[in-house]
Amino acid sequence: MSVRNSTPGYVLAFFPTLALGVLFLVPFGIMASISVAHRVTGGFYEPGFTLASYWRFVSPFFGGILLNSVVLSALAAMLAVMIAFPFTYLLTRQPRRIQVPVLVGLLAVLSLSEVIVGFSWSTLLSRSAGISNLFVAIGLMEKAQSWTPGFYAVIAGLTYVSLPYATMVLYPALSRLDPELPEAARTLGASPLRAFFEVIVPVSRRAIVACLIMAFVYSLGSYLLPSLLGRPQHWTITVHITDQAIYQSNLPFASAMAVFLLVTALLLVGFTQRFLGEKA
Amino acid sequence: MTALARLYLFAVLAILSAPIVVVAGVSLNERKSLFFPPRGISLKWFEQLFTDPSWRGALINSLTIAGSAAVVAVMVALPLAYAIWRYNLRFGALLYTIGLSPFILPPVVSAIGFLSFWATVGLYGQMIAVILSHGIFLTTLPLVTITLGLRSIDPTVIEAAETLGADERAVARTVVLPLIAPYMLSGLAFAFVLSLNEYIIAFMIAGFTVETLPVKIFKSLRYGYTPTMGAAAVVFVGVAVVVFGLIGKFGDLPKLLGAWEKRSEG
Amino acid sequence: MSALSIQGVAKHFGNVTALDNVSLDIPEGTFTCLLGPSGCGKTTLLRIVAGLEQPSAGAVVLDGTDISGLPAHKRGLGMVFQSLALFPHLSVAENIGYGLRLQGVSATARREKAEELLGLVQLEGVADRRITQLSGGQRQRVAIARALALEPKLFLLDEPLSALDAKLREEMQVELRELQARLGVTTILVTHDQREAMTMGDLIVVMDHGEIRQVGAPLDVYRAPADRFVADFLGGANLMQGEVAAGNTVQLGEACIKIEDAIGAGNGEAVTLCVRAEDIQLTSGAPRDGNCLTAKVSFVRDLGHVVEVTANCDQGEVKVLVPAKEREGLAVDGEVTLHLPADVCRVLEK
């Protein structure tokens, strides 16, 4: 629906464009300029041009952060998509009266503050209030124990926050899937499980790849869970950005890492969009 | 639907709700300790959330910021979505992508960006800075819902209005706005709930001056656990469920989330 | 070749009754059309036969064996879906060979079979194309070939032609009918188009509100509809309210219409008289015998080979088809006499 004369359109778009420009793009510009500024120990920073902050990328310290971030996020993204794919598929096959309340619940969990998720998981995995008490009660374990902080606690937390996100990313594609496709496979002799793996999964492979990347970027962006559920060696780049900016007062280095994360995320998301945009 | 499939659905839902159940249980503890299952049942931590000055202040801050930020988000998204849809803007697709990106990029990146911006402008630590930042950060949501609403308008309805004498302004006011009102409201609600829960941006811009509820919970997490945190979490989940539940009841939630219209039965 | 027997099948979706105690016998080798308006339960019945839907009651018996408990993938039936449901991630040949692959048939044998079937549906040379590279009509043929690849005992089609344009659709109807006759496979087709059902079916099953209203050969159903609904749905019928009178006649207002067939209903009972538009004769002169109604022409519609005259009489609107050569003298507001020959009048009790 469009009309030929677009002048009023530009007038109309002016205010939101200005707002986005000033409040969204300009901050990134400032951030980029800070990333090349001189650090003033104990203070903020001094304008200037130095690549000192970026040079720190070639240190083993940063290499460790990067490796850890990628491993944690990739693992969490894979787990989340593996759980979310069958879940979302089954959900889209449900009648509306079941789908809507489940979607409400998913949105509620998705919007849940990471602070609250971190708090609940640290409680859930703790010795005094955690599920290990449940296992003790039913006789699976002898003594309650604490599972946090640790690598698996971080994985559990990241998978948990990525799960509803992955579901939301998969939902449009899967709900548009022709319900007659698996039925056709079944009339041709495929069991429901076989139809799922041989028809539904391959037909959705683009959506799955896209969802993996999106979930990866999403868990890469988690800022609290690694620090709440893990030890310092489990901190991801996002946690370090926060740490450098707030607690170490090294805004230039935080900005440099933020620029790096921004570029990485843009590349990945851009790739996904292009990948999704292609005709089948 | 086989029993196995139902079991799987149920198991995932159980995992998703487990932490919330734990938090709710913790919030009921009689004494100031985090036991689950709770030892002794008491609602005093909920009471404290609304009476203790520091928790109450955080709650009011959060509600003020979320309410204002949601309005800002819709004010930015509405004209943008409308202009892109109605007029053939040369940079329409680009503008839309820019509008989408705050929400897709890692929030910490936006947080650092906002931090450096407000520090430069001199509004660092002010509530208005948090409101505007949230408004921009969350503009993606009303942008998506309103665009969806605009695209679902039958073009002939617009043409009909035009043949009946409606000019551009009248078309927008009498046809388009009423039709997209539910989508605007959904966008507003989404932005509200997410702003309420947002932590990292609020923390970086004004974490030490304007305490929001998530920031307050985070600080309690570091400097002294209290069941009030659980109570706050329960209230947040409650607000989210009520808001999304209302959208689900009165709106078309599956369509908002990208499902196609159901095919009519043959 | 197999015979199918549907025995007392019912299906409820919550409070909604989609099928209500439906029984039907389909002899082997026949082409059966399930015909009815949308929501009549015809698709549900087909899906129950396919095993994609479980009946709430009743049984589906194939060649004397109750298959009601078998899941869809163990029934060995071929089905063409309304959306065609071709697998977009597989090529044409892979689509056709899908069922064979599940049975462990070798790749070369699958390929051979796919080529053979493509020949059968007159679509050679596209075996390696992707589904997205095919036109609507070509996809249609691939879907048919895929459903036939396992040499099914039953061939089921759910409104398979509804997405095609009118011309292609008529061609496909004839082609499909010829293909079925050649293979001799017992076939059930679901459609809401009475022309399609008339063209293709050996047997037409008219359904409404989850019930079967009439089963019969196309012309039998057309000429002797069992009730108002069937007469109306097959089209072209004039339905007039009257009551049974002495001497095997029906009283229509002042006119008394003789009926050749014996009337089942007793004297004085309200009945519906059904006369096809093409069976009514138009005369402009005075009535020759009984069985006549006077009417006033309200509209004349030239259809080329015939003329459709709409006329109003005491019993309401009547449509009459007359040969084009009798067009002359017909004018709006002109008085005409409608002659209803005794041998073409049917009395419907409902």
Side-chain angles (χ1 to χ4, degrees):
Chain A
M1 190 73 266
S2 72
V3 288
R4 209 163 288 156
N5 179 8
S6 48
T7 315
Y10 288 109
V11 174
L12 207 55
F14 179 73
F15 162 69
T17 308
L18 188 75
L20 279 169
V22 170
L23 293 173
F24 185 64
L25 297 182
V26 168
F28 285 145
I30 297 177
M31 180 177 89
S33 77
I34 292 176
S35 73
V36 294
H38 295 284
R39 184 190 176 193
V40 178
T41 317
F44 240 28
Y45 57 90
E46 228 170 52
F49 184 84
T50 167
L51 289 175
S53 296
Y54 286 95
W55 272 114
R56 290 189 66 181
F57 287 176
V58 288
S59 64
F61 168 67
F62 186 77
I65 295 174
L66 207 56
L67 182 70
N68 178 56
S69 306
V70 170
V71 168
L72 279 172
S73 305
L75 216 56
M78 276 192 282
L79 283 170
V81 175
M82 269 165 59
I83 300 170
F85 186 81
F87 175 77
T88 315
Y89 174 69
L90 293 173
L91 178 65
T92 58
R93 306 297 118 174
Q94 298 296 320
R96 247 185 114 82
R97 73 192 147 76
I98 294 183
Q99 269 194 53
V100 171
V102 174
L103 289 173
V104 168
L106 284 170
L107 284 175
V109 174
L110 182 62
S111 65
L112 208 56
S113 182
E114 224 181 282
V115 178
I116 296 173
V117 175
F119 166 47
S120 350
W121 273 91
S122 61
T123 311
L124 195 67
L125 299 177
S126 71
R127 191 168 52 82
S128 60
I131 38 170
S132 59
N133 293 288
L134 192 71
F135 293 153
V136 172
I138 57 172
L140 277 176
M141 279 168 65
E142 253 174 38
K143 231 173 92 195
Q145 70 175 83
S146 173
W147 286 320
T148 173
F151 180 78
Y152 294 105
V154 180
I155 289 291
L158 288 179
T159 307
Y160 179 82
V161 288
S162 307
L163 185 56
Y165 184 75
T167 303
M168 290 303 158
V169 174
L170 288 171
Y171 184 77
L174 287 179
S175 59
R176 290 168 194 191
L177 203 74
D178 181 356
E180 290 187 344
L181 272 178
E183 287 179 352
R186 294 193 54 207
T187 60
L188 293 167
S191 66
L193 212 59
R194 209 156 171 176
F196 178 78
F197 284 110
E198 291 198 350
V199 175
I200 292 155
V201 173
V203 163
S204 320
R205 60 193 189 281
R206 269 167 200 280
I208 293 174
V209 173
C211 184
L212 271 171
I213 297 173
M214 297 299 281
F216 176 76
V217 173
Y218 190 78
S219 51
L220 205 56
S222 165
Y223 39 86
L224 273 178
L225 294 178
S227 64
L228 281 177
L229 300 172
R231 299 175 198 284
Q233 70 263 30
H234 302 131
W235 286 9
T236 57
I237 182 165
T238 307
V239 184
H240 282 282
I241 292 174
T242 319
D243 183 57
Q244 291 291 333
I246 302 292
Y247 300 104
Q248 314 292 329
S249 296
N250 189 347
L251 202 51
F253 185 43
S255 299
M257 285 195 286
V259 168
F260 176 81
L261 185 59
L262 173 68
V263 172
T264 311
L266 277 179
L267 285 177
L268 285 173
V269 174
F271 168 76
T272 314
Q273 297 307 317
R274 173 143 304 187
F275 185 72
L276 274 182
E278 264 176 53
K279 280 263 175 263
Chain B
M1 183 67 33
T2 61
L4 195 71
R6 273 186 200 277
L7 189 72
Y8 184 79
L9 274 178
F10 187 78
V12 173
L13 287 174
I15 294 172
L16 282 172
S17 47
I20 296 162
V21 172
V22 169
V23 164
V26 163
S27 72
L28 294 174
N29 268 302
E30 178 98 54
R31 296 228 222 105
K32 190 170 175 175
S33 52
L34 303 177
F35 284 113
F36 185 84
R39 301 196 179 162
I41 299 290
S42 156
L43 286 175
K44 67 178 170 206
W45 307 111
F46 283 90
E47 197 190 310
Q48 195 181 53
L49 183 63
F50 298 100
T51 52
D52 178 272
S54 71
W55 282 100
R56 202 181 130 92
L59 187 65
I60 291 171
N61 279 342
S62 277
L63 289 174
T64 313
I65 290 171
S68 322
V71 172
V72 171
V74 172
M75 276 167 53
V76 173
L78 180 63
L80 188 62
Y82 185 84
I84 293 173
W85 167 77
R86 184 78 173 134
Y87 307 95
N88 241 334
L89 293 196
R90 190 180 298 175
F91 303 110
L94 180 69
L95 279 176
Y96 188 75
T97 310
I98 293 176
L100 288 188
S101 39
F103 198 66
I104 292 171
L105 296 174
V108 73
V109 176
S110 305
I112 294 283
F114 285 131
L115 165 64
S116 25
F117 178 79
W118 295 118
T120 309
V121 178
L123 284 173
Y124 176 76
Q126 304 290 313
M127 187 188 265
I128 183 74
V130 182
I131 291 174
L132 290 177
S133 303
H134 272 190
I136 291 293
F137 178 65
L138 298 172
T139 209
T140 306
L141 298 155
L143 185 64
V144 168
T145 58
I146 293 171
T147 302
L148 196 67
L150 290 169
R151 287 191 184 150
S152 66
I153 296 176
D154 178 357
T156 57
V157 169
I158 307 280
E159 287 165 2
E162 285 171 343
T163 59
L164 292 169
D167 63 5
E168 207 36 47
R169 204 175 274 266
V171 166
R173 193 168 40 83
T174 59
V175 180
V176 179
L177 276 182
L179 284 174
I180 62 168
Y183 295 89
M184 274 167 63
L185 211 58
S186 307
L188 190 81
F190 276 107
F192 177 79
V193 171
L194 281 151
S195 165
L196 215 51
N197 281 285
E198 204 287 324
Y199 160 78
I200 189 83
I201 293 173
F203 178 65
M204 283 223 192
I205 298 174
F208 301 101
T209 48
V210 187
E211 234 175 34
T212 63
L213 218 40
V215 172
K216 173 88 181 150
I217 297 176
F218 178 69
K219 285 183 180 165
S220 314
L221 221 43
R222 294 220 141 173
Y223 310 116
Y225 280 69
T226 149
T228 315
M229 297 153 61
V234 170
V235 168
F236 268 33
V237 174
V239 169
V241 168
V242 168
V243 169
F244 296 132
L246 285 174
I247 297 178
K249 183 152 173 59
F250 297 107
D252 190 343
L253 201 52
K255 188 180 166 193
L256 267 181
L257 298 173
W260 273 345
E261 310 264 333
K262 264 250 181 291
R263 278 192 308 161
S264 54
E265 288 290 316
Chain C
M1 286 220 274
S2 304
L4 179 74
S5 172
I6 293 162
Q7 300 172 352
V9 164
K11 178 71 184 177
H12 309 285
F13 293 106
N15 299 330
V16 184
T17 301
L19 286 175
D20 190 9
N21 194 21
V22 168
S23 294
L24 177 67
D25 280 308
I26 294 177
E28 67 176 46
T30 49
F31 197 124
T32 304
C33 292
L34 302 182
L35 175 68
S38 66
C40 72
K42 56 191 193 297
T43 293
T44 306
L45 184 59
L46 191 79
R47 290 171 60 84
I48 286 174
V49 171
L52 295 169
E53 213 83 70
Q54 292 306 310
S56 310
V60 178
V61 177
L62 185 64
D63 291 334
T65 316
D66 185 352
I67 58 166
S68 312
L70 277 186
H73 60 280
K74 293 190 177 144
R75 293 201 179 185
L77 314 178
M79 179 152 172
V80 178
F81 290 80
Q82 190 169 8
S83 72
L84 302 185
L86 293 170
F87 305 132
H89 61 298
L90 302 179
S91 73
V92 168
E94 284 166 344
N95 260 281
I96 298 173
Y98 180 82
L100 295 167
R101 200 186 82 209
L102 292 179
Q103 292 186 347
V105 174
S106 76
T108 40
R110 288 199 315 256
R111 178 75 195 193
E112 224 167 85
K113 185 76 188 174
E115 300 276 6
E116 178 197 322
L117 282 158
L118 283 173
L120 195 69
V121 295
Q122 302 176 31
L123 190 68
E124 279 100 346
V126 299
D128 295 313
R129 295 244 190 106
R130 300 208 70 83
I131 297 302
T132 44
Q133 294 171 307
L134 302 182
S135 69
Q138 289 174 319
R139 288 180 198 199
Q140 192 72 58
R141 289 161 202 264
V142 175
I144 292 168
R146 184 179 70 177
L148 291 172
L150 294 176
E151 289 166 19
K153 295 184 204 137
L154 272 183
F155 185 32
L156 309 175
L157 303 109
D158 182 11
E159 307 230 12
L161 307 177
S162 55
L164 302 182
D165 62 57
K167 188 168 173 295
L168 191 56
R169 192 172 166 154
E170 289 191 3
E171 284 171 20
M172 283 303 292
Q173 286 171 3
V174 174
E175 216 174 283
L176 203 52
R177 173 73 235 217
E178 286 171 353
L179 181 68
Q180 188 272 341
R182 197 145 23 111
L183 298 174
V185 59
T186 311
T187 300
I188 306 174
L189 177 127
V190 161
T191 182
H192 62 266
D193 177 352
Q194 50 93 10
R195 279 169 58 101
E196 188 165 294
M198 300 274 295
T199 309
M200 300 168 84
D202 294 314
L203 204 62
I204 289 187
V205 178
V206 187
M207 296 182 67
D208 186 41
H209 287 107
E211 288 175 3
I212 291 180
R213 304 302 284 259
Q214 190 173 6
V215 181
L219 273 183
D220 293 345
V221 176
Y222 182 77
R223 292 217 182 104
D227 56 26
R228 279 188 77 100
F229 173 79
V230 175
D232 204 32
F233 194 75
L234 287 181
N238 291 297
L239 301 171
M240 291 170 267
Q241 293 299 118
E243 58 184 48
V244 179
N248 214 41
T249 62
V250 170
Q251 194 73 35
L252 287 181
E254 289 178 3
C256 182
I257 308 294
K258 271 204 208 79
I259 310 292
E260 199 174 85
D261 298 340
I263 300 176
N267 276 4
E269 275 186 50
V271 290
T272 302
L273 191 69
C274 166
V275 194
R276 297 259 160 222
E278 67 272 25
D279 289 337
I280 299 178
Q281 290 160 9
L282 259 189
T283 46
S284 44
R288 284 173 302 178
D289 56 353
N291 280 17
C292 279
L293 297 170
T294 23
K296 200 171 176 185
V297 175
S298 63
F299 197 77
V300 180
R301 186 167 158 226
D302 288 305
L303 297 172
H305 57 303
V306 284
V307 180
E308 185 193 75
V309 180
T310 308
N312 284 312
C313 64
D314 296 342
Q315 277 63 46
E317 203 177 77
V318 176
K319 282 196 162 41
V320 184
L321 286 176
V322 295
K325 58 180 189 286
E326 291 171 26
R327 170 75 170 82
E328 224 164 304
L330 284 171
V332 171
D333 285 344
E335 286 255 319
V336 286
T337 303
L338 309 176
H339 180 221
L340 280 46
D343 61 332
V344 298
C345 293
R346 308 276 159 207
V347 175
L348 309 177
E349 288 173 36
K350 274 185 270 183

